[in-house]
Amino acid sequence: MKNDIEKVLISEQELQEKVAAMGAQISRDFADKDPLFVGVLKGCFIFMADLIRGVEADCRMDFMAVSSYGRGTVSSGAVEIIKDLSVSIEGKHVLIIEDILDSGVTLSYLRGFLEQRKPASIRICTLFDKPARRRADIQADYVGFLCPDAFIVGYGLDFDERYRNLPYIGVLKPEVYA
Ligand code: IMP
Ligand code: MG
């Protein structure tokens, strides 16, 4: 697994510090709002687990699963809902939690899908933003790191379902997915 990594982009320590700072900011912004955190599976799971332990505000959590990639490194453009929410979001302050905002196709579809259910607000929190490849008109409200135009794995992010368990963020060697 480690032989497939070109370089470590973000260390465990840097991840911890950034995620703690994001949790503190979210605590301030959502104090007394009784927010619902909506994690987008599967990529969010490690980030969200760390993030919410740094959130002091009262909050609830739910998850969705969507698919847009299949086995590849470029979004196919078609988004499919694989798992929907199990609670109502009407009148609620929703914070969507994503691993990475790339073309933006997934999040712009998801935001539109959830807006139809009349939440009080929808905000977006992503650990990584890769603006170089944006195709949809969407911005995140909370961004951990800007990501270079490379394919990254680890800390929940996968290629073909692998590498999620790396404790750091690494750049995948292009020959692995070429
Ligand atoms: P988008 O619809 O192109 O914004 O795709 C977002 C999704 O693509 C993310 O939730 C990730 O699952 C996946 N993704 C995009 N870029 C990367 C990457 O560099 N590494 C791992 N997954 C990625
Ligand atoms: Mg993925």
Side-chain angles (χ1 to χ4, degrees), residues 35-100:
L36 176 70
F37 296 155
V38 173
V40 184
L41 294 170
K42 299 173 217 169
C44 76
F45 81 113
I46 296 180
F47 169 46
M48 185 165 172
D50 283 346
L51 181 73
I52 59 175
R53 281 179 287 178
V55 171
E56 286 171 25
D58 234 330
C59 61
R60 291 173 305 144
M61 272 148 250
D62 202 353
F63 296 91
M64 293 190 71
V66 297
S67 157
S68 62
Y69 269 45
R71 190 186 189 283
T73 61
V74 178
S75 180
S76 63
V79 182
E80 190 190 348
I81 304 281
I82 293 167
K83 184 212 169 296
D84 202 343
L85 296 172
S86 57
V87 298
S88 166
I89 60 168
E90 194 174 337
K92 301 291 179 201
H93 293 284
V94 171
L95 181 65
I96 299 176
I97 301 183
E98 249 289 30
D99 53 356
I100 182 165

Side-chain angles (χ1 to χ4, degrees), residues 92-129:
K92 301 291 179 201
H93 293 284
V94 171
L95 181 65
I96 299 176
I97 301 183
E98 249 289 30
D99 53 356
I100 182 165
L101 178 53
D102 184 21
S103 72
V105 170
T106 308
L107 273 180
S108 94
Y109 178 86
L110 202 56
R111 187 178 57 183
F113 180 83
L114 294 178
E115 267 166 1
Q116 293 169 11
R117 297 179 180 172
K118 303 194 175 11
S121 67
I122 298 187
R123 297 277 182 274
I124 293 172
C125 171
T126 186
L127 182 58
F128 289 96
D129 187 0

